[in-house]
Amino acid sequence: MLVITSLLLLLSNSITLRRDKSILYSRTTITILLIATLISYDNLNFLFLSKGIGIFGGLFYTTSTTTVFQIVILLISSVILLLTSFYPRKVWVKEYSSINRLLFTNIIYYQTLLVNKMGEQYKIIEYSLIILFIIIGGIFLMSTSDLVSIFLSIELQSYGLYLLSTIYRDSEPATSGGLMYFLLGGLSSCFILLSTSLLYANSGTTNLDSLYIITSISNINEDNLSSLLYWYKSYYIHISLLFMSVGFLFKVSAAPFHFWSPDVYDAIPTIVTTFVAIIAKISIFIFLLELVHYTSKSYDTEFSWTMSLLLSSLLSLLIGTIVGLTQSRIKRLYAFSTISHVGFILLGLSIHTVESTQAFMFYLLQYSVSNLNAFMIIIAIGYSLYCYVYKVSSTKSNSNNNENVKEENENSNNLHDINNSPIQLIDQLKGYYYINPILSLSLAITLFSFAGIPPLIGFFGKQMILSAAIENGYIFMSLVAILTSVISAVYYLAIIKQIFFDKPDYEFNNELSNFNADGLITEKNTILNKVSIKINNIVLSSSLSLTISIITLIITLFIFMPSELLNIANILALILFNI
């Protein structure tokens, strides 16, 4: 269904002359993704009773694990597409907002100025098409069962991400960030291609199942099999998989291959950053889970490629936390926060027991949801400041703090591509609580979840990872994870402090002080009344406010309904280990 839809969208894009159909395409894509979600959900009953099935001649396979995370990718992608499926602001008149009025009456007004109808994100008709290709690549990658399909899937996903990063043609920062992503991503693909060629040369097969069998047999007793596998040494495959892990660790921005992500996240528009930061990581981590499960059962104590994941986990925890303390730009801070959380995910992945696999899956799910909420709130804050102007307060300009004022003025002018990313500096969130208390509270809850504050969902993710690490003897890694988690709370709390306790650097736009627009209330093409639209009638659209509210409630109230997510992670881990 996804492939056919992408082909039809491609045909539709090639023959249309209108650039304002992107909203229609986004809504169509959401519908298709939801239908695909129902199809995947319907397949779960069969897959839970079996170990999975191979498709397309063994190039791919589908299991309960891959199907569950297919559903996760499809649902998260649908939510992200809501950002370009509806205008960000709407006109809300209390007298005409009852259920009966909403269903049967309409309000007609001049939309272009009020609801940001001319925003650039509503003119790019290729956006939905590229996202479909990325989703197809991600789903194929999770289900891949051959060295050839690994490379084809990761490149299909990566090429879409490169194009998505540079899709805003008139944005110089997005173009430079996308070009950096493309060049360095090509380098990481070289490592993946090198590893696939080495695996084929050393094992004589491209099928991953055959590779797993060779690894399992050779690890039983290498001396007794010297006549059968005289050419084989167990570290051959481990070295090859080490090269592959380098390529994939780059693509999930794990240290020490993280250097591209802060610059790219900050340069590309925030709507695009939301997709780039979440979807690619889910598919790659699930693929690595399968790879670790079938190749890490080694009795050869000299070397195992999974040690690279443990080392990357340690570096990600340290770098993501320490370097994040010095950031002044919100999306660069999110990037280093992501690197730190990738360290937790890699720790659960490299331990590889039933408990750690359950913790790994749960952490991946909860962090994807929390990260989605954090980016959506930043986007919503930018839209909510419609009638405000960002200025550094002139009352600070006394002789005692001239240097600070100069630095703040430089920061306030350092807002490249402000139309596509209105919120770029952490200082722009100063005093936002006095402008929109509810959005401020939602952001604070999400940041507390990142920091692992109980009883939010992020606390349970970190607690499960640390419990599995301590139980399996990873005491040093557990201590590092605890310390870095405490330190990372510093920059989360710094943001919350600026939101709730500092005075805002926003001034009401005087040009809108006397704003007044006329609207017509109609029912069945009959004009019922004429209303006056004031600046207070312009609010965030339901697509943003409802989505943020639901995700925030999931993060907050998880302690009252923990069984669903925990049971899914537990069942998938038990099936993977054949228990």
Side-chain angles (χ1 to χ4, degrees), residues 253-264:
S253 66
F257 313 106
H258 65 283
F259 41 84
W260 62 272
S261 61
D263 294 329
V264 172

Side-chain angles (χ1 to χ4, degrees), residues 140-354:
F140 281 172
L141 180 62
M142 289 190 297
S143 302
T144 187
S145 184
D146 195 274
L147 295 177
V148 176
S149 56
I150 288 175
F151 189 73
L152 292 178
S153 302
I154 190 62
E155 288 309 293
L156 178 59
Q157 176 178 276
S158 298
Y159 286 162
L161 291 172
Y162 305 150
L163 292 173
L164 198 64
S165 300
T166 57
I167 198 169
Y168 285 70
R169 302 177 183 86
D170 299 329
S171 170
E172 183 180 346
T175 304
S176 62
L179 183 60
M180 178 193 299
Y181 190 18
F182 168 67
L183 293 175
L184 296 176
L187 178 62
S188 70
S189 297
C190 290
F191 279 97
I192 296 175
L193 191 59
L194 173 63
S195 67
T196 57
S197 61
L198 289 175
L199 285 170
Y200 177 67
N202 293 329
S203 63
T205 179
T206 61
N207 190 275
L208 290 183
D209 288 336
S210 302
L211 188 69
Y212 300 154
I213 291 172
I214 292 174
T215 306
S216 300
I217 293 176
S218 63
N219 286 327
I220 295 173
N221 192 333
E222 192 170 336
D223 295 332
N224 295 337
L225 295 173
S226 58
S227 59
L228 179 62
L229 296 175
Y230 65 93
W231 48 270
Y232 178 81
K233 300 295 182 183
S234 62
Y235 59 80
Y236 285 176
I237 287 182
H238 285 288
I239 292 175
S240 303
L241 291 173
L242 177 62
F243 283 111
M244 183 175 285
S245 69
V246 169
F248 282 111
L249 289 175
F250 172 90
K251 293 185 182 294
V252 296
S253 66
F257 313 106
H258 65 283
F259 41 84
W260 62 272
S261 61
D263 294 329
V264 172
Y265 283 19
D266 191 42
I268 61 181
T270 309
I271 288 177
V272 177
T273 311
T274 307
F275 195 85
V276 172
I278 299 173
I279 299 301
K281 291 180 173 56
I282 297 176
S283 58
I284 292 174
F285 277 127
I286 295 304
F287 167 73
L288 287 177
L289 172 64
E290 300 280 347
L291 202 62
V292 168
H293 179 69
Y294 291 110
T295 60
S296 65
K297 300 174 182 177
S298 175
Y299 298 97
D300 181 8
T301 57
E302 293 180 5
F303 173 73
S304 175
W305 75 277
T306 54
M307 292 301 296
S308 64
L309 301 181
L310 200 60
L311 178 61
S312 179
S313 171
L314 176 62
L315 294 175
S316 297
L317 288 169
L318 294 173
I319 293 174
T321 301
I322 296 171
V323 183
L325 295 171
T326 64
Q327 301 305 310
S328 61
R329 301 179 69 87
I330 185 68
K331 284 195 290 182
R332 289 183 68 89
L333 180 62
Y334 276 3
F336 283 105
S337 169
T338 298
I339 294 168
S340 176
H341 287 278
V342 164
F344 274 94
I345 294 173
L346 287 174
L347 178 58
L349 182 63
S350 57
I351 295 172
H352 192 61
T353 61
V354 176

Side-chain angles (χ1 to χ4, degrees), residues 31 33 55 68 85 161 196 302 394 399 416-417 460 514 526 545:
T31 305
L33 294 179
I55 53 178
V68 166
S85 300
L161 291 172
T196 57
E302 293 180 5
S394 58
S399 58
H416 304 295
D417 200 26
F460 295 98
N514 297 321
T526 302
S545 55

